[in-house]
Amino acid sequence: TGCTQNQTAGTMAEVSTEGYLGLALTGVAVSLLGWGSFTLPMKTKAVQDANLHPIVFNVYMGLGVALSSLPILLFQPFAWTWWSTAGAALFAPGSLFCVLTVEWIGIAKGQAIWAGCVALQSFLCGLIGFQEYPQDFPMTIVGLITLLAGIGSLAFVEPAKPEEEKGQKQPLLDAAGDSAENGAAYAPADRAEAKEPQLLKGLFGCMMIGLLCGSCMVPFRLAPVVPFQNGIDSMIYAVGFGVSLAVINILILCAYCMVEVPPLHLSTCFLPGLLSGVLWNMGNIGVIFACLPPLGLAVGYPLTQCCLLVAGLWGILFYGEIRGVKAISTFFGGAAVVITGACLLGIYGQAA
């Protein structure tokens, strides 16, 4: 789903009480909203019309992650580990591929496929890197096959043609009273010149997102248990992660400027990029609460992966990325298969 951090919850200290149900369900809802919506700002009219360079958007997004992590310091004492910087170093190129993949194959299809890739890579990291052998090997294999089948079916979803995307109805926010002229820079309208979907590039992007974002929490597993892997207190890891991500993205931009200096479009594109980072981090923090007992990792984390359905609805209803009963049915069928596979891995793929 977005790019995920499921290992966070997997290393949390067990809590004996069952009084966290409301907090866990709230975490699920926050994760669905955050991870299901963080790609939306990437397709705002301002970003699309400016043809903003993905590296620049990634800088703005990293700043959003960092700034939205700082309020954690109001509740928890500051703690730092260089492992959070290592995790950010993996996520930085992964988030860049998120921006590119949305451009190549859209929000709905892109996020649905890369969510499956991230879940697969996360499982492999636990199995190979930390010897977390599944408690039910046959059902885990079924989960893997189901997950791969869902990813494969989503790859064949037929996107809307560029000529079909032009002249779409006004975005839903206009129903609240905003005209097409008011706030046009941030309206989720289509690019003036729509581009042909680039499937092979999009699938490559999803694979890279899976490889990078599915591995970005391996450093978390190597961080000191206290305080970085100690229940709700593990949120403090997000502060170091967010600050490191912002710095790394800025350094990448500086290095790229040695070759070419891309326009920043601060006045119109800074806020969408910032919002994207805030939404992603909202989902990231939400998953920590989602996996508290009594839901736990087995139920809580797979529930957060329904964010790909939220992203799909945005892409289909807001942007018209997929049209026609057959194509839309294929998308939601494939998404359901991906979620089923992720649930099977979450339930049966846990360490014995």
Side-chain angles (χ1 to χ4, degrees), residues 99-281:
V99 180
L100 291 168
T101 302
V102 167
E103 177 71 19
W104 289 332
I105 58 176
I107 292 173
K109 189 171 180 177
Q111 191 163 351
I113 295 176
W114 83 51
C117 293
V118 168
L120 178 60
Q121 176 66 8
S122 298
F123 170 76
L124 292 177
C125 284
L127 178 66
I128 299 172
F130 297 96
Q131 289 76 52
E132 295 178 344
Y133 299 109
Q135 59 183 349
D136 191 326
F137 192 78
M139 288 302 298
T140 300
I141 295 298
V142 171
L144 283 172
I145 295 174
T146 303
L147 185 65
L148 292 173
I151 294 173
S153 64
L154 287 169
F156 291 99
V157 175
E158 186 69 24
K161 302 296 182 183
E163 57 270 16
E164 295 175 356
E165 294 180 356
K166 294 181 180 180
Q168 282 195 59
K169 63 183 180 180
Q170 293 296 322
L172 297 182
L173 61 84
D174 286 345
D178 292 335
S179 65
E181 291 78 14
N182 293 335
Y186 301 108
D190 294 312
R191 180 190 295 270
E193 294 182 5
K195 295 182 178 180
E196 284 281 356
Q198 302 176 69
L199 179 59
L200 291 181
K201 287 185 177 181
L203 293 178
F204 172 75
C206 290
M207 290 175 59
M208 293 304 298
I209 294 168
L211 180 65
L212 293 164
C213 296
S215 305
C216 71
M217 285 306 286
V218 169
F220 173 84
R221 296 290 300 275
L222 301 174
V225 173
V226 179
F228 301 106
Q229 301 183 51
N230 187 27
I232 296 178
D233 291 341
S234 63
M235 282 196 302
I236 196 62
Y237 181 89
V239 176
F241 180 91
V243 173
S244 298
L245 179 64
V247 173
I248 290 171
N249 284 341
I250 291 173
L251 292 176
I252 292 174
L253 176 61
C254 291
Y256 183 79
C257 286
M258 298 176 67
V259 179
E260 176 188 6
V261 180
L264 299 180
H265 297 288
L266 273 169
S267 61
T268 55
C269 297
F270 177 72
L271 287 181
L274 199 72
L275 177 60
S276 183
V278 171
L279 287 170
W280 181 86
N281 204 35

Side-chain angles (χ1 to χ4, degrees), residues 1 19-20 93 155 177 325:
T1 21
Y20 286 138
V325 175

